[in-house]
Amino acid sequence: MNEPLSASPARPRSRRLALWGALVALLVVAQSLLVYLTANYERVRAQEQVEAAATAAAADVRQTLSRQQQSLQALQWNDPGAAPWRAEAASLLHARRELMRVERRDVAMRVVEAVDSPYQGPVFGRIAREAIEVEAQLACTGAQRLSAPTFSRSYFVPMSDGLGLEMIDLCIPVQRAGRADGWVVATLALTRLLEESVGAETARTHELSFIESDGARLARTGVRRGGGVFVAERIIDLPGQSLQLRVDSTRGSPSLIPNLAVALVLGLSLALAVVVVLLVRDVRRRAAAEARLAETLAFRKAMEDSLVTGLRARDLNGRITHVNPAFCEMVGFSADELMAPATPPYWPPELADEYARRQSVRLGGAPTVPGRSVQEARSGFETIFMRRNGERFPVLIFEAPLVDGQGRHAGWMSSVLDLSAQRRAEELSRQQQERLQATARLATVGEMASLLSHELNQPLAAIASYAAGSLNLLEPGAPADAETMPMLRQAAQRIAEQAERAGRVIKSVHDFVRRREQAREALRADVLFDAVMPLVRLQARKSGTRIELELPEPPPRVVCDRTMVEQVLLNLTRNGIQAMEGLTEPAQRVLTLKAWQTHPRWVSFSVIDRGPGIADDVAARLFTPFFTTRSEGMGLGLSLCRTVIEQHGGALDFVNLAGIGGGRGTEFRFTLPADSGDRAARAADRTAEAHG
Ligand code: ADP
């Protein structure tokens, strides 16, 4: 799938061109062949028609001649001298227009009777019959030899109208009582023969002619001129003679578009050419779209490859179908290794069963409400994966349904974030924060060292004096009366009380310095105040400051890291007390501590002093680490306080009370999340679960 889509555009281009060239060449060849075949077919058909016409015409001529012969043979039975012969010959001439003249000759070939065609003047008007008798005599000689009617060669007879006719003689020997008794000679005009024999239809579309062997035309009929392209010739064999019939169709060679068939072929070819052009355009558009697609794909791939977020696609069975390089790098397995097995290799073996169960639950639930699945995908979930080297690491997974082009739910797409670096950074920052806080706590205690010594001095002095008194009572010279024992017991009791008091002071400091557990817990605000109060009072007593505590009944409950918030309270009270020292009349030195619920989700805490307030230049840098105006200060107090409060989701700020209601001083206020009822209920549930 990672193959480049357009590795060498030059080669496919030349190949495409070659293919198109071949296609166009094939098309041209196919079209030319089609046109040629169609034209050829036309030609063959025309030739066939002419051949058929020629055969029919030859048959017609033959039939006319044979009928002629029969009629003429019937003539010989009449007496040649008799008028009936002439009458019969005349009717024959009348019936057959091709017959020009019928002669009755004696044995010596002399003309005894002769009747001419009624349609034309006498044939031998211009030239006497005797002058052109050779053909007839030759025919009769042949007829005598064969004892059968015989045709003569054709000969030209000029007519009185200036034109002439090609004639042919038919010589029929007459037998009477078994011996030769002269001849009947009929003269036929070849042109008329053609006209009478050939049908009108053939004559309309063909030129028919009798020709000589050298091609010279003897007689013709039909249209005036044939095309000279489709010609057929037939030999009409007659007894003693043969005629050559030539039929010439009026049709010329077929033109390029001779008829509908060729027009159709051409039209189709044109349509084909148009289709090819359209195809070319379509292919070009496709190629352009493909190129765009390849570009987009390459861009997407580059984008996907450059991502640091791991991407993983799974089908509906939970099998991995795609991973990006970042994911492979994260888990240390190749794409093939990840896609092959049913159980992902990055599942830690000890958690595999749980993961499989979780996956089946998740894969089972199809995304019915798109909004909901998006919501789930956005929130993400944390889990543990395993690298190839066995290292377990935390990941944050955002999973969304994968919907294909048809809108079908085809699987799941997850983006996977490696949290190990973030976790390391968080851990480091937490440790640093802790160290800083510990340092700050130590600094606070250091500052309080003198206070501590003062505070411890009292019980120690008391212990010392009780001890001294007790020792005096136990002196060897001292009277050991009945009062001594109760006094000693009382002194010992006082010593124990004072020692306990000193111990309490030391313990409160010890507790404060050593306490470091991070857990958040739900507790009442007064519990927080009570915890810091011994140390606050310690400080307050030294400067003669009064502490006022304002808490509603019942006190609001908060969820917080107790140690941290206690330190915040201690820092703020210490700052307030210090601000009032020296600058405020001892009678006016009052530090007010307040806590109240400002919102269903928030509880506000206030530490109010009657000090000089905070100057603007100081206010600007108040929360900057290491900013301090005091020679022994570290300047970490307020910056740490703000960090702690913000870690709880709250805010820490201050208000200068100077000018507000004529008062003076500063109010430091911070908020902490309130312990709502269901949170308490959840905590209760958790406890129940833990115990169950
Ligand atoms: P430090 O107490 O070590 O100086 P802080 O961060 O607690 O560090 O305080 C920084 C500075 O802010 C103090 O030096 C002081 O000048 C000023 N400041 C803090 N709280 C008060 C207050 N209640 N009234 C006046 N100035 C204050």
Side-chain angles (χ1 to χ4, degrees), residues 573-593:
T573 49
R574 187 204 55 185
N575 280 352
I577 293 169
Q578 279 171 352
M580 290 186 284
E581 269 173 10
L583 293 163
T584 309
E585 288 290 306
Q588 306 273 312
R589 291 180 194 167
V590 180
L591 188 76
T592 313
L593 304 178

Side-chain angles (χ1 to χ4, degrees), residues 199-267:
E201 181 59 36
T202 314
R204 232 191 337 269
T205 50
H206 296 82
E207 183 187 40
L208 299 111
S209 46
F210 287 121
I211 55 164
E212 286 191 355
S213 49
D214 61 357
R217 196 151 54 186
L218 301 174
R220 58 161 296 284
T221 187
V223 289
R224 273 242 56 89
R225 242 186 131 72
V229 180
F230 301 108
V231 179
E233 289 181 4
R234 291 286 180 278
I235 303 288
I236 303 171
D237 282 319
L238 304 171
Q241 190 54 253
S242 63
L243 286 172
Q244 194 165 354
L245 176 71
R246 179 187 162 113
V247 177
D248 185 355
S249 168
T250 49
R251 293 179 63 164
S253 26
S255 59
L256 202 62
I257 306 179
N259 59 20
L260 195 67
V262 177
L264 216 69
V265 166
L266 276 180

Side-chain angles (χ1 to χ4, degrees), residues 447 571-572 574-579 609 611-615 618 621-624 627-630 632-639 665-666 668:
E447 277 178 45
N571 269 330
L572 297 180
R574 187 204 55 185
N575 280 352
I577 293 169
Q578 279 171 352
D609 64 62
I614 294 173
V618 174
R621 295 186 291 155
L622 202 61
F623 294 102
T624 321
F627 169 74
T628 179
T629 57
R630 298 184 299 116
E632 73 280 20
M634 269 185 72
L636 272 172
L638 286 177
S639 93
T666 317
F668 276 85

Side-chain angles (χ1 to χ4, degrees), residues 80-81 85-86 103-107 109-114 183:
W85 187 92
R86 267 206 304 277
E103 293 168 345
R104 171 80 176 93
R105 295 195 178 208
D106 59 12
V107 240
M109 281 296 282
R110 277 189 304 271
V111 177
V112 183
E113 297 283 349
W183 321 85

Side-chain angles (χ1 to χ4, degrees), residues 519-529 551 554-563 565-566 569 594-605 645 648 650 670-677 679-680 683:
R520 297 213 173 159
E521 52 190 311
L523 56 144
R524 291 209 321 257
D526 57 328
V527 177
L528 287 169
F529 286 126
L551 270 173
R557 291 172 64 84
V558 289
V559 178
C560 66
D561 179 338
R562 183 177 172 170
T563 320
V565 176
E566 280 172 10
L569 280 173
K594 291 204 295 192
W596 74 104
Q597 185 130 13
T598 47
H599 183 272
R601 291 183 56 210
W602 299 105
V603 174
S604 282
F605 288 77
I645 296 304
H648 282 81
F670 64 88
T671 48
L672 284 178
D675 173 38
S676 59
R679 190 188 287 273

